[in-house]
Amino acid sequence: MSKEKLVVLKEANIKNNCPECFHNELTVTFYQKQKFGKFIHKTTNEVSNDIKCDRCHCTIYPINWTDDIERSFNYYQKLAVPHKTSVKFTSLFYIVALTLIALVGIAVYVFTQKIIEF
């Protein structure tokens, strides 16, 4: 069972008018998805975005964007460089792997030295 988390890549305030309330404070945020499990932490290449008004707290969807909002979005999208896709193993993974390797090594030693015979 793995958990998913959106990590903020870039967050910026833009001075464009909100299509809903016409306030000129918007926040654009870019997120990258990461998955966390017991054995691995995986960084995916999925990048999502969100534009919200600071006054009315409404999400502004691409259908409501003006040309100014779209230009600002494209500029900040170029600045939001995602992290490389990677898989990192946790310490629990290494403990389980080393334990299995040790058990196999002990079994091979016991059978080669004929301590236990079948």
Side-chain angles (χ1 to χ4, degrees):
M1 189 80 123
S2 65
K3 297 180 195 174
E4 292 182 357
K5 182 179 177 185
L6 294 176
V7 177
V8 176
L9 288 177
K10 180 78 176 169
E11 186 172 34
N13 294 327
I14 56 177
K15 301 286 184 186
N16 295 103
N17 290 334
C18 173
E20 301 292 327
C21 68
F22 301 108
H23 185 65
N24 66 350
E25 293 278 332
L26 301 175
T27 302
V28 60
T29 309
F30 293 94
Y31 303 100
Q32 185 171 17
K33 186 188 285 188
Q34 292 187 355
K35 295 181 181 181
F36 296 95
K38 292 182 181 179
F39 295 110
I40 62 170
H41 296 300
K42 182 178 180 182
T43 302
T44 63
N45 60 356
E46 293 181 40
V47 177
S48 60
N49 57 58
D50 190 18
I51 296 180
K52 288 191 177 183
C53 178
D54 292 341
R55 177 184 275 175
C56 65
H57 302 289
C58 65
T59 301
I60 301 169
Y61 296 103
I63 196 165
N64 295 333
W65 289 359
T66 61
D67 292 335
D68 295 334
I69 294 174
E70 190 167 353
R71 271 187 252 123
S72 298
F73 174 80
N74 289 336
Y75 173 75
Y76 284 108
Q77 188 177 21
K78 291 176 185 175
L79 295 178
V81 178
H83 302 293
K84 291 183 179 179
T85 303
S86 64
V87 175
K88 294 181 183 177
F89 297 105
T90 62
S91 57
L92 180 62
F93 173 81
Y94 290 114
I95 290 170
V96 170
L98 289 175
T99 303
L100 291 174
I101 291 171
L103 289 175
V104 169
I106 290 170
V108 167
Y109 177 76
V110 166
F111 286 121
T112 57
Q113 297 297 320
K114 296 185 181 179
I115 295 174
I116 299 176
E117 293 184 23
F118 286 100

